Amino acid sequence: MKLEQLVTFEAIVTTGTFRKAAERLNKSQSAISNAIRLLEDELELTLLSREAYRPKLTAEGEIFFRESSRVLAQMRELGATAARLRAREEPELCIAITATLSLQHLLPVLEEIDRRHPATHIRLLTEVMGGPIERLMEQRADIAIATLESVPLDEVETQRFAEVTIRPVASRRFAKRLGPGAKSMTAMQTFPQIVVSGTGGPENKQSRDLLPGGRKWTVSDFAAKKQVILSGQGWGGLPDHLMQDEIAAGTLEPLVVEGFPPRHSEIFVLRRRDQAPGPVASALWSLLVAKGTETLAPR
């Protein structure tokens, strides 16, 4: 029994036909058929029924496929391990993070990585909404740090890293115009809600937490959003870490808005399962996981 035969068997089962398996493996259909025939002869089992248009697993084939899939997964893990052992330090690593995350969680980790691996150039990209995940899945980032919204969980490895709270606020002058107490959705719809446009694909271009039917202004990042809100020209949600000083000074005031409660989000560090990380990416991942454990530990 050869590894190539198991790979061929898996390709037939997952694609559904000998022809598609041949296309996936870049082989002739006759080579695919011959590989399976030799495997069945060696095992003295019929793994696939050829009676219908599409090959179908026999009862024995079902069991064999389950076990062979486990073996192939282990072989691929061994291959990834070998790739890591062969790898030299990466010349560059790209980390895509959500703009709602405070960099104070990340900077100590990057400082340690720079100390250990000074030859590796770090690219740190701040993205909004689906931007970090899109970069990761398109292989334009080695690691993403974001929420799990719209994440293909079967394709990525995840570890909890931090928690973020976004709450609605307005400038002192704007809050005085609104008056004390909770604000209804109807009352807030007449004032501009300042929102940040996403940096992911078309489905991520609009900010979350939009007040239905309300006016809105769209800006490109949280720094601009904060500045517009401070100017008194609208209201919107900001992460706590971006407005601690302004809340303490009274230049920004929290709002209680119907349909817009504070949103508490869990932030995760993510990497693709099918990519073999190099030595620096592996070290970075380990440090991020340790930092997340420390940050989220009960006080």
Side-chain angles (χ1 to χ4, degrees):
M1 188 189 312
K2 299 179 180 178
L3 177 61
E4 183 180 4
Q5 292 173 320
L6 298 183
V7 171
T8 301
F9 179 53
E10 179 190 54
I12 295 170
V13 175
T14 55
T15 62
T17 67
F18 285 80
R19 178 179 60 79
K20 290 182 179 179
E23 292 174 354
R24 172 184 287 188
L25 300 178
N26 196 28
K27 293 184 177 182
S28 68
Q29 189 167 331
S30 60
I32 296 295
S33 298
N34 188 56
I36 293 303
R37 182 182 58 78
L38 291 175
L39 177 61
E40 290 178 321
D41 288 347
E42 180 180 351
L43 298 174
E44 298 183 355
L45 292 171
T46 300
L47 302 176
L48 294 166
S49 170
R50 281 84 160 174
E51 295 177 359
Y53 169 71
R54 291 177 178 272
K56 184 179 180 181
L57 286 169
T58 62
E60 295 83 359
E62 291 273 5
I63 297 172
F64 187 81
F65 177 65
R66 182 172 65 245
E67 294 302 312
S68 64
S69 296
R70 180 176 57 82
V71 171
L72 286 173
Q74 292 175 335
M75 291 297 296
R76 285 164 182 150
E77 288 179 6
L78 283 174
T81 299
R84 287 194 294 270
L85 293 174
R86 291 194 303 269
R88 298 178 180 178
E89 291 192 355
E90 304 92 313
E92 178 178 282
L93 279 182
C94 180
I95 311 165
I97 71 169
T98 175
T100 59
L101 178 69
S102 171
L103 287 180
Q104 70 177 1
H105 296 290
L106 189 58
L107 292 178
V109 172
L110 297 183
E111 181 180 8
E112 178 63 17
I113 283 293
D114 184 61
R115 185 187 68 79
R116 296 186 192 179
H117 308 281
T120 298
H121 172 66
I122 299 295
R123 293 181 61 216
L124 184 61
L125 304 175
T126 301
E127 303 278 351
V128 180
M129 294 185 63
I133 304 306
E134 183 173 298
R135 279 191 173 273
L136 179 68
M137 300 315 297
E138 293 181 354
Q139 301 185 46
R140 294 185 291 124
D142 300 285
I143 288 176
I145 305 177
T147 68
L148 292 184
E149 188 164 344
S150 301
V151 172
L153 294 177
D154 59 328
E155 299 180 37
V156 299
E157 185 178 352
T158 68
Q159 293 286 340
R160 290 178 70 228
F161 184 67
E163 294 178 350
V164 173
T165 298
I166 298 177
R167 64 185 77 245
V169 293
S171 69
R172 178 188 296 167
R173 177 163 60 91
F174 191 95
K176 285 182 178 179
R177 291 173 58 193
L178 296 176
K183 313 300 183 295
S184 69
M185 292 178 61
T186 303
M188 295 303 295
Q189 285 170 349
T190 62
F191 301 103
Q193 180 184 357
I194 314 304
V195 300
V196 179
S197 177
T199 53
E203 71 278 8
N204 293 313
K205 287 302 181 184
Q206 186 55 63
S207 173
R208 301 185 185 98
D209 302 323
L210 280 178
L211 199 65
R215 298 171 58 196
K216 67 177 183 290
W217 289 9
T218 302
V219 295
S220 62
D221 55 54
F222 277 99
K225 181 175 184 175
K226 177 180 173 180
Q227 190 171 352
V228 174
I229 292 174
L230 278 168
S231 74
Q233 299 186 62
W235 68 281
L238 287 173
D240 279 348
H241 70 89
L242 286 182
M243 55 181 181
Q244 290 175 343
D245 294 342
E246 290 77 11
I247 293 290
T251 53
L252 284 178
E253 296 185 13
L255 299 177
V256 179
V257 179
E258 176 189 355
F260 197 101
R263 175 162 57 85
H264 307 285
S265 297
E266 287 189 325
I267 306 297
F268 291 76
V269 55
L270 309 103
R271 65 181 177 184
R272 292 175 58 115
R273 294 184 186 274
D274 61 350
Q275 298 295 311
V280 185
S282 294
L284 175 60
W285 176 266
S286 297
L287 289 171
L288 288 170
V289 170
K291 181 63 177 177
T293 302
E294 173 191 327
T295 301
L296 295 169
R299 302 284 174 160

